[in-house]
Amino acid sequence: MKNGSSSFQPGSVSGELPARRAAVLPCDYHLPEVFERERERIFRGQWTFACLAGELPEPGDFRLIDAGGVEAVVRNCAGTLKAFVNTCSHRHSRIFEEPQGNRKLVCPYHGWVYDEDGVPRAIPRAQDFPQVIAAPSRFALRQLDLECAGRFAFVRAERRGGALREFLGEAWDFLHSVSAGLGERMDAFRGTIAANWKVVIENALEGYHVPMVHRETLGAIRQLSARSADIVDHLPEGAGHSWMVNKADPQWLRRWSRYERALGKWPFRFEHYVHQLVFPNLTVTSFMGYSFHVQHFIAEAAERTSVAPGSAWCARWNTLSLRDKGFALGTARCAQALPAASRPARSCSFHICRNAPSTDRVTASAFMTSEAASLPRSEDRSARRRCGSPARVIARWT
C-alpha cells in the first residue's frame, strides 16, 4: 500500500492482478521461506533494538537476545555493554542458558573462561591447547556490533550499512531525549502473539480499530484532541522509521496545569501523545513525557511474534514528588471512584488521584499499547500511517 491506495485493482469478475506487483503479498505473512529471508536481510543485516542499558546496571549483568535468528548475549562488561554470540569457541556449547542474570563468561561444558573482551584466559589442561595459548585472540568469542542511542542499545549481527546514528536518522535525537526522561521502571511484561511480525507492527501503527477493540479503555481517552489537523503522521524516506503526534486537548491542558505545578517539571516535556516506530522491532509511546511505554518485538517464526520484554517507565524527577505529595497516576477513571474489582488493570488515561492507596498507584498512560494511535475521527487516516508499516520498506530490504 502506498499513498493510501491499494495495489489491487479488480479487472474482471474473477479479479485480475495488475501488472505492478504489490510490495508485500498475502502469502508473505505466513510462508516460512519468506520469513527466513526477512530475518536474514532485515533482522540480521541491519541494526535492531536489543535492550535498555538501565536493565543491565551491574558488571556481569547479561541478557540473551535474538539477533535475526542468531542467539547472542548482551552483557555489562566492566561498565561497557558488549554483545557476543552465545557459543563457546571450543566445542560450540551455549555459554548462557538462562535468559538473564549475572555471572562471568564461563562455558558450562568444559569450563573455558573468557575475559571482558571475549578472549579465552583460563582453560583447563591448557597444555593441550598450544594454539590457544600462543594466540588467544584468534579464539575469542564472536562479537557483534553494539551501539547505543542514549539508553537504547542496538545490535547488528552482520556488518552492513553505516553507523547506528546514520541508520536512526531523526529517531536518534528522540531516543536521546527519551533516555534523559526515563526514571523508574513501573512495570515489565512479556507476551506471545500468534501472528507474523508484520501484522503485529501494522496493528501497532494504526488506531482505526481503537473505538471498537478498546472502547472502554483507549477509546475513552479525553486528553487528546480529536481534530484531524492535530494528528500528524511523519513518514520520512529511509530505513522505515515513522512517528505519529496527536496534540493534547487545549481545555484538558488548562485543567492539567494546576496539577503540574504541584508535581513539578520533568526533563522531556511536550504537549502531545507520540508514537515512534524504530523499524523493525521497537516502539516508544508517551503522553507529555511523564511516562513511557517501550515495546520490543521479536520475530520468532513465520506466525509467531513475542513482546519480550515490554516495559513501562515513569519520568525522571517525577516519581519522588508523586510519592511525597500523595498523588497517584490513576486508570481510565478516577481510581477512588471505582470498586477495586472493576478497575481496569491496563488503561491509557491519566488522572491525578489525591491520597490514592498505594495499590492503586499505576502508571496508566505507561500502559498505552502502541496500537493506541488515535481517537475516532471523521476520516480514516490509518492508511497514511500504514505507509510507515513494514510493507513500505520490505521490498527494499528483501
Side-chain angles (χ1 to χ4, degrees):
M1 184 174 290
K2 194 170 183 179
N3 298 327
S5 61
S6 172
S7 60
F8 178 76
Q9 300 172 356
S12 67
V13 176
S14 61
E16 298 175 358
L17 287 175
R20 182 167 59 89
R21 185 182 186 276
V24 179
L25 296 173
C27 61
D28 294 338
Y29 287 84
H30 64 84
L31 288 179
E33 57 268 32
V34 174
F35 171 77
E36 290 301 328
R37 185 169 65 247
E38 291 174 346
R39 188 158 69 167
E40 190 274 328
R41 298 184 183 180
I42 297 175
F43 290 91
R44 198 178 306 159
Q46 67 174 347
W47 294 102
T48 57
F49 176 67
C51 66
L52 286 165
E55 295 172 327
L56 304 173
E58 302 297 329
D61 286 351
F62 70 88
R63 167 169 290 165
L64 293 183
I65 65 166
D66 181 283
V70 176
E71 184 179 73
V73 57
V74 176
R75 185 174 180 270
N76 183 327
C77 297
T80 300
L81 291 187
K82 296 182 180 180
F84 303 98
V85 174
N86 189 33
T87 304
C88 180
S89 301
H90 176 215
R91 295 294 296 273
H92 298 173
S93 169
R94 297 177 73 202
I95 296 177
F96 296 97
E97 296 182 301
E98 57 274 40
Q100 62 186 62
N102 182 293
R103 70 173 177 88
K104 295 180 179 180
L105 283 164
V106 181
C107 176
Y109 192 21
H110 293 110
W112 281 37
V113 180
Y114 297 84
D115 65 16
E116 304 292 62
D117 294 319
V119 178
R121 292 304 182 191
I123 303 174
R125 296 172 54 180
Q127 68 276 10
D128 294 337
F129 301 91
Q131 301 97 328
V132 180
I133 300 303
S137 295
R138 291 180 54 196
F139 299 88
L141 301 176
R142 181 189 163 202
Q143 188 167 347
L144 305 185
D145 291 339
L146 186 151
E147 294 184 21
C148 291
R151 295 168 65 178
F152 292 81
F154 292 78
V155 298
R156 183 171 54 183
E158 296 179 4
R159 186 168 294 176
R160 307 176 196 170
L164 177 62
R165 184 164 191 168
E166 177 185 347
F167 171 75
L168 291 177
E170 295 178 74
W172 173 271
D173 290 335
F174 174 79
L175 294 180
H176 271 272
S177 297
V178 172
S179 298
L182 286 179
E184 175 185 356
R185 188 169 72 176
M186 307 298 294
D187 184 45
F189 52 90
R190 293 175 179 268
T192 301
I193 304 166
N196 184 269
W197 70 276
K198 297 187 292 297
V199 172
V200 177
I201 295 295
E202 288 168 355
N203 176 74
L205 294 183
E206 65 106 311
Y208 189 48
H209 69 278
V210 170
M212 288 297 295
V213 180
H214 310 293
R215 184 178 306 160
E216 297 181 0
T217 53
L218 304 177
I221 296 176
R222 294 295 178 265
Q223 292 91 329
L224 303 181
S225 172
R227 295 178 62 248
S228 292
D230 291 339
I231 307 169
V232 181
D233 298 315
H234 299 269
L235 309 169
E237 293 296 329
H241 316 311
S242 65
W243 66 98
M244 182 274 293
V245 170
N246 193 152
K247 291 183 179 179
D249 179 76
Q251 295 183 357
W252 184 89
L253 277 176
R254 286 192 290 271
R255 294 194 301 270
W256 160 254
S257 61
R258 61 192 179 100
Y259 293 116
E260 187 174 15
R261 286 192 295 270
L263 291 172
K265 299 292 184 179
W266 47 89
F268 186 31
R269 185 193 180 282
F270 41 85
E271 296 186 350
H272 56 261
Y273 167 78
V274 61
H275 179 288
Q276 169 79 57
L277 166 69
V278 180
F279 188 83
N281 70 330
L282 170 67
T283 62
V284 181
T285 60
S286 179
F287 179 58
M288 294 185 65
Y290 62 72
S291 62
F292 301 89
H293 183 209
V294 179
Q295 282 190 308
H296 177 194
F297 301 98
I298 301 173
E300 295 183 343
E303 297 187 61
R304 186 176 70 251
T305 305
S306 68
V307 184
S311 56
W313 301 71
C314 66
R316 187 166 62 87
W317 299 358
N318 197 19
T319 310
L320 186 61
S321 61
L322 280 172
R323 289 172 172 170
D324 288 349
K325 297 177 182 179
F327 288 98
L329 298 179
T331 50
R333 301 182 180 87
C334 178
Q336 292 176 318
L338 288 173
S342 65
R343 291 175 190 140
R346 292 188 176 179
S347 176
C348 65
S349 189
F350 178 85
H351 293 275
I352 295 297
C353 309
R354 183 178 294 276
N355 299 322
S358 59
T359 53
D360 292 332
R361 185 180 179 277
V362 294
T363 313
S365 76
F367 294 124
M368 281 187 178
T369 63
S370 57
E371 65 211 36
S374 65
L375 286 173
R377 319 171 194 174
S378 58
E379 59 176 324
D380 176 8
R381 293 163 50 86
S382 63
R384 286 188 56 196
R385 178 63 171 164
R386 285 173 63 87
C387 291
S389 73
R392 180 170 174 258
V393 292
I394 290 292
R396 179 168 65 255
W397 287 105
T398 59

